[in-house]
Amino acid sequence: MPELRKDPITGRWVIISTDRSKRPSDFSRERADLKSASFCPFCPGNEAKTPPEILAYRTGENGRQSNANWNLRVVPNKFPALRIEGDLDRQADGMFDKMNGIGAHEVIIETPNHMETLATMPVKRVEDLLWAFRDRILDLKQDRRFKYIMVFKNHGEAAGASLDHPHSQLIALPILPKQVVEELEGAKRYFSNKERCIFCDIIRQESESRIRIAAENQDFITLSPYAPRYPFETWILPRRHESAFENSPSTLYENLAKMLRLVLNKAIQVLDNPAYNFVLHTSPIQENTNDYYHWHLEIIPKLTKTAGFELGSGVYINPTPPDAGARFLRGARLEEVVVVQS
Ligand SMILES: [Zn+2]
Ligand SMILES: [Zn+2]
Ligand SMILES: [Zn+2]
């Protein structure tokens, strides 16, 4: 019997299609294998082919820009979705509303090594990426034009990556996106009824039942949500309540790096190197949401296509029950986690 399940945060219904239940091997997909490129603007030596760098982490003692000896670079997107210069100039257009397309669109080049991924690079390098997210959020937060900073990654062509070289992206927005608002409002509603954080309650309940837990460490819990839109949708949540990613205590980033790397390796093993997206869900930058919101990272392997029904209804049909998804990930054996020496 298929099941309609409601996400307690957003109120969004999904259909868990148990009849057509899919195991990992049932999905037809393109593997997200990295290919060496004849020319790559993100590879060392080609620094001049990107817009001037905003931030870089280097190990050498002289951190000059010309120095190709970097571990991570942040540069403006060469083809930005939004432009950084100018005023918002909010206007009515008859009954409609508009403003200038102001925003920051940045690319975080995760490693100088074209063929390395978040799953194979040393934990310290993954941690550096998380620090870069934090550094950029703290900087962009000072710009009063922006309301939200969306950090995300497209890995593999099927997930929207146009360049193979491992990178994440960040877009600072002068608006609050609808999906963010839905989650915030849902969490706020729950808090005003119960005076508890809904994410903390989810963590508590899932920790007890254990059926949807995929992995755990001291600071983080990774689970398949009760009503996931996508097969193998996976959330990493900090155990300690905090609404804003960038306000996390500095000790947390190492364990988040370990958890992210572990989960990606599990997904690679279970789903045969899938393309995936991850999105950081964190507080809007100009609001204090700390009573009721709880930041987290959502990872979505690219296994299904959305079609007319999803487009029309916003109701997703998910062919893999989250309990099964979590069980596969939990059971992944990881003798293959190779630590590349830095
Ligand atoms: Zn490259
Ligand atoms: Zn919480
Ligand atoms: Zn979320």
Side-chain angles (χ1 to χ4, degrees):
M1 178 74 90
E3 203 166 271
L4 272 158
R5 286 192 176 191
K6 188 181 178 181
D7 180 80
I9 305 157
T10 57
R12 178 179 51 223
W13 287 91
V14 300
I15 298 171
I16 306 292
S17 166
T18 43
D19 292 355
R20 293 186 281 165
S21 180
K22 283 194 170 179
R23 298 169 54 83
S25 55
D26 296 339
F27 295 100
S28 65
R29 82 196 77 94
E30 304 158 43
R31 288 169 49 103
D33 295 328
L34 300 181
K35 293 170 278 297
S36 58
S38 50
F39 172 77
C40 170
F42 293 169
C43 274
N46 298 335
E47 287 80 6
K49 301 293 178 193
T50 63
E53 90 192 12
I54 298 167
L55 172 74
Y57 296 158
R58 292 185 163 84
T59 39
E61 57 270 23
N62 56 346
R64 281 176 296 117
Q65 284 234 353
S66 56
N67 186 354
N69 180 27
W70 47 271
N71 292 323
L72 175 149
R73 293 176 83 223
V74 181
V75 298
N77 193 310
K78 205 168 185 176
F79 309 100
L82 296 163
R83 303 284 164 153
I84 191 80
E85 304 91 8
D87 296 320
L88 294 171
D89 197 17
R90 289 191 180 86
Q91 283 180 48
D93 184 359
M95 62 167 287
F96 305 113
D97 304 299
K98 66 173 185 180
M99 66 178 95
N100 286 330
I102 302 295
H105 190 168
E106 302 179 357
V107 178
I108 302 111
I109 306 168
E110 295 162 358
T111 163
N113 184 348
H114 189 93
M115 299 300 282
E116 191 174 63
T117 69
L118 287 184
T120 60
M121 69 177 75
V123 170
K124 184 69 188 74
R125 292 281 93 79
V126 182
E127 190 184 338
D128 280 351
L129 173 66
L130 303 171
W131 281 106
F133 291 166
R134 181 175 186 271
D135 283 348
R136 293 310 303 142
I137 292 172
L138 287 174
D139 184 33
L140 288 162
K141 238 178 152 166
Q142 295 171 34
D143 191 323
R144 300 299 293 175
R145 297 172 302 171
F146 299 146
K147 290 189 173 168
Y148 197 81
I149 299 169
M150 180 70 71
V151 176
F152 62 97
K153 179 176 171 73
N154 306 330
H155 175 78
E157 210 178 330
S162 50
L163 280 167
D164 264 344
H165 196 115
H167 65 284
S168 310
Q169 299 183 64
L170 168 160
I171 298 186
L173 293 160
I175 50 139
L176 286 183
K178 191 168 181 294
Q179 290 204 35
V180 170
V181 171
E182 276 175 9
E183 224 181 56
L184 284 166
E185 285 180 347
K188 200 172 187 173
R189 203 177 311 120
Y190 189 89
F191 185 82
S192 58
N193 287 338
K194 310 201 187 196
E195 294 187 39
R196 296 195 306 268
C197 163
I198 188 165
F199 294 94
C200 286
D201 273 7
I202 289 172
I203 291 168
R204 208 170 289 125
Q205 183 164 328
E206 297 292 355
S207 298
E208 273 166 29
S209 81
R210 312 211 61 79
I211 47 177
R212 281 177 293 275
I213 304 280
E216 284 183 286
N217 68 22
Q218 192 191 332
D219 294 318
F220 291 91
I221 186 158
T222 299
L223 51 84
S224 302
Y226 180 76
R229 291 154 293 174
Y230 305 100
F232 292 91
E233 178 176 340
T234 303
W235 299 358
I236 301 178
L237 300 123
R239 291 181 192 275
R240 213 187 102 153
H241 180 82
E242 171 59 61
S243 62
F245 170 80
E246 71 276 13
N247 293 345
S248 301
S250 58
T251 51
L252 235 59
Y253 295 94
E254 184 185 353
N255 271 338
L256 178 57
K258 284 180 181 161
M259 180 56 83
L260 177 58
R261 194 175 182 281
L262 175 71
V263 173
L264 292 176
N265 275 290
K266 282 173 175 281
I268 285 168
Q269 191 184 94
V270 172
L271 299 167
D272 191 23
N273 200 15
Y276 66 84
N277 301 103
F278 73 58
V279 184
L280 180 63
H281 283 204
T282 183
S283 176
I285 50 180
Q286 296 181 30
E287 284 174 47
N288 184 356
T289 62
N290 203 42
D291 279 346
Y292 57 89
Y293 196 64
H294 190 129
W295 75 265
H296 54 282
L297 192 71
E298 301 195 0
I299 305 169
I300 296 166
K302 188 74 189 169
L303 301 170
T304 50
K305 291 190 174 73
T306 51
F309 178 68
E310 284 89 351
L311 273 176
S313 64
V315 176
Y316 289 77
I317 302 175
N318 183 345
T320 304
D323 318 22
R327 193 171 57 244
F328 280 114
L329 291 174
R330 204 164 52 228
R333 301 251 171 273
L334 286 178
E335 63 274 11
E336 281 300 305
V337 180
V338 183
V339 177
V340 179
Q341 292 303 310
S342 55

